[in-house]
Structure formats: structure tokens, C-alpha cells
Amino acid sequence: MSEEEYLRKEIDAVEQQAARRIDPGTGALTISIAVLALLVSLVLPWVGETTGLSVVLGESTGFVPRLFSYFAFGVGVLGSGLALAVRRWGMAWVCTLGLFAGSVTGVLSIWSQQTTASNKTIGPGPGIGLIIAVIAVIVLLVKWVRIAASRPPQL
């Protein structure tokens, strides 16, 4: 193999490695602020007087808010942090899909707290922490969709 062929293969390998990486640019700041908002929502009430931390730990709440908390903190906080650290396209798509499911369950968790149960009593209502968490998850979803969809089509 000539030196020119070796150099061409090395350049192609570097190009393929660079093609698998993302560059969130200024979106990383927005993602970081939304993750911070998710973490702050832990200390605020989510369901009635129950704080977000209690919901994450599974203490006395419904299924849908607990499921949302797993999506929000599993994908929103841990997934976003990991995706920003490794900067891979695959992780960006995992965050996008997980946050889509999280945004749907978040809206359902707000709705489930406002509707009546089978005994005709009105739910405790969503707390400010739950509303902040849902908004933060939707902001994260929008940012990760933009980052994941920005990949050039030829790669």
C-alpha cells in the first residue's frame, strides 16, 4: 500500500468518526437550563402537596406521574447529560424518542390530576413543580429533535 492510499484511508476513517458526532452548539446551554429546571422541580410540589422527589421515589402517588418522573429524570437529566458528554447521534435520537414519550406522559399526568376518580372526587390538581417539569421536558424534546435531525443526509 502506497503512502497516498494509507493517507486516504486514514482521512476517510477520521471523516466517518466525525460524522457520528453531534455539535449542539448554543443548544447545549438551553439543554443545561432545562435540566436545571427539572432538578429544581424536585423540591416543588407535584401532586397536591407531594414533592417531585417523593414522586420519583414512588411515595403515595398515581402511576402516570410516577412514569413521567422516570422519563423526565431518566432521559431528561441522565440521558441529556450523557448525550452531551459523548456527543453521539445515537444518543441524541435516544433522548429525542425518550423525551417524546416523556412529554406525552407529562401531559397525561397533568390531566390525570385534574380529572375525577371513580368515586367522583376531583383530583388534587397538578403542582407547580409538575408543570415546570413538563415544560422543561417539552423544551428538551424540541432541542434534541433539532440536534438529532440536523445530521447531513449523505451520512
Side-chain angles (χ1 to χ4, degrees):
M1 177 186 311
S2 71
E3 185 175 327
E4 185 176 303
E5 289 173 350
Y6 177 76
L7 185 59
R8 171 53 51 199
K9 286 185 180 186
E10 186 175 344
I11 290 172
D12 289 341
V14 169
E15 180 184 12
Q16 288 297 323
Q17 183 179 8
R20 290 181 285 198
R21 298 181 67 83
I22 61 170
D23 182 21
T26 58
L29 178 63
T30 308
I31 291 169
S32 300
I33 291 170
V35 167
L36 179 64
L38 276 173
L39 292 174
V40 167
S41 74
L42 279 175
V43 298
L44 298 172
W46 273 34
V47 178
E49 294 299 317
T50 308
T51 64
L53 186 59
S54 298
V55 174
V56 170
L57 297 175
E59 298 173 5
S60 68
T61 187
F63 174 73
V64 180
R66 190 175 324 136
L67 181 63
F68 168 68
S69 71
Y70 297 152
F71 276 118
F73 295 104
V75 180
V77 175
L78 299 176
S80 292
L82 184 63
L84 286 177
V86 298
R87 296 179 181 253
R88 295 287 181 180
W89 287 105
M91 276 304 296
W93 278 109
V94 166
C95 285
T96 300
L97 296 174
L99 288 167
F100 174 74
S103 66
V104 171
T105 57
V107 171
L108 283 175
S109 66
I110 289 175
W111 174 75
S112 70
Q113 298 308 308
Q114 295 175 339
T115 58
T116 60
S118 62
N119 59 0
K120 306 293 185 210
T121 59
I122 297 176
I128 188 69
L130 181 60
I131 294 170
I132 289 172
V134 170
I135 291 170
V137 165
I138 291 172
V139 167
L140 283 171
L141 171 64
V142 169
K143 293 311 283 184
W144 280 117
V145 165
R146 286 184 180 174
I147 290 170
S150 68
R151 186 174 186 173
Q154 72 270 17
L155 299 176

